[in-house]
Amino acid sequence: PSNQETFGIVIVEAAAAGLPVLLRDLDQYRQTFTGGYEKGGDETFVRIIEKFKDDQTYYRKWQQAAEGIARKYDAKAGAVRLMEVYGEVIAARTRAKAKAEAS
């Protein structure tokens, strides 16, 4: 597991593939993937992976949590956000044009 990530597309891919996600407890992950993954560290990774293997309830819990990551970053969510950005740009341009015409 990485000690640092810029975004972590592999994390989104794992979540989209239906896998539970195990990550280090890093600020970047907390901000980006809130609640969608199990946290671990060098001293706990083996125990957590074994628990994923042996405890189906635990596995499903984190598998379902990771679904939130997959939904947040799927293509539809990206398209919706892109349309919001376009709307914001158009609105700002319209306001600037109206202000310029009023001057």
Side-chain angles (χ1 to χ4, degrees), residues 69-94:
I69 294 172
R71 280 191 305 274
K72 181 177 180 182
Y73 294 104
D74 74 0
K76 182 178 178 183
V80 167
R81 179 64 188 130
L82 184 59
M83 293 305 294
E84 290 171 355
V85 169
Y86 285 158
E88 291 167 9
V89 169
I90 290 168
R93 184 173 176 174
T94 302

Side-chain angles (χ1 to χ4, degrees), residues 6-22:
T6 53
F7 172 73
I9 194 67
V10 70
I11 296 164
V12 176
E13 290 170 341
L19 297 172
V21 176
L22 171 59

Side-chain angles (χ1 to χ4, degrees), residues 1-90:
S2 297
N3 284 313
Q4 177 183 357
E5 282 288 344
T6 53
F7 172 73
I9 194 67
V10 70
I11 296 164
V12 176
E13 290 170 341
L19 297 172
V21 176
L22 171 59
L23 303 172
R24 290 186 186 278
D25 190 16
L26 303 176
D27 287 338
Q28 177 63 35
Y29 294 150
R30 272 182 255 134
Q31 295 170 15
T32 307
F33 305 118
T34 307
Y37 64 94
E38 174 63 298
K39 297 175 205 69
D42 291 340
E43 66 287 343
T44 59
F45 284 135
V46 171
R47 180 183 53 78
I48 293 169
I49 291 167
E50 287 175 347
K51 191 168 182 179
F52 279 150
K53 182 177 69 85
D54 297 334
D55 184 339
Q56 288 299 304
T57 301
Y58 182 76
Y59 183 95
R60 280 192 298 279
K61 171 188 173 182
W62 290 107
Q63 184 182 39
Q64 290 171 351
E67 289 174 4
I69 294 172
R71 280 191 305 274
K72 181 177 180 182
Y73 294 104
D74 74 0
K76 182 178 178 183
V80 167
R81 179 64 188 130
L82 184 59
M83 293 305 294
E84 290 171 355
V85 169
Y86 285 158
E88 291 167 9
V89 169
I90 290 168

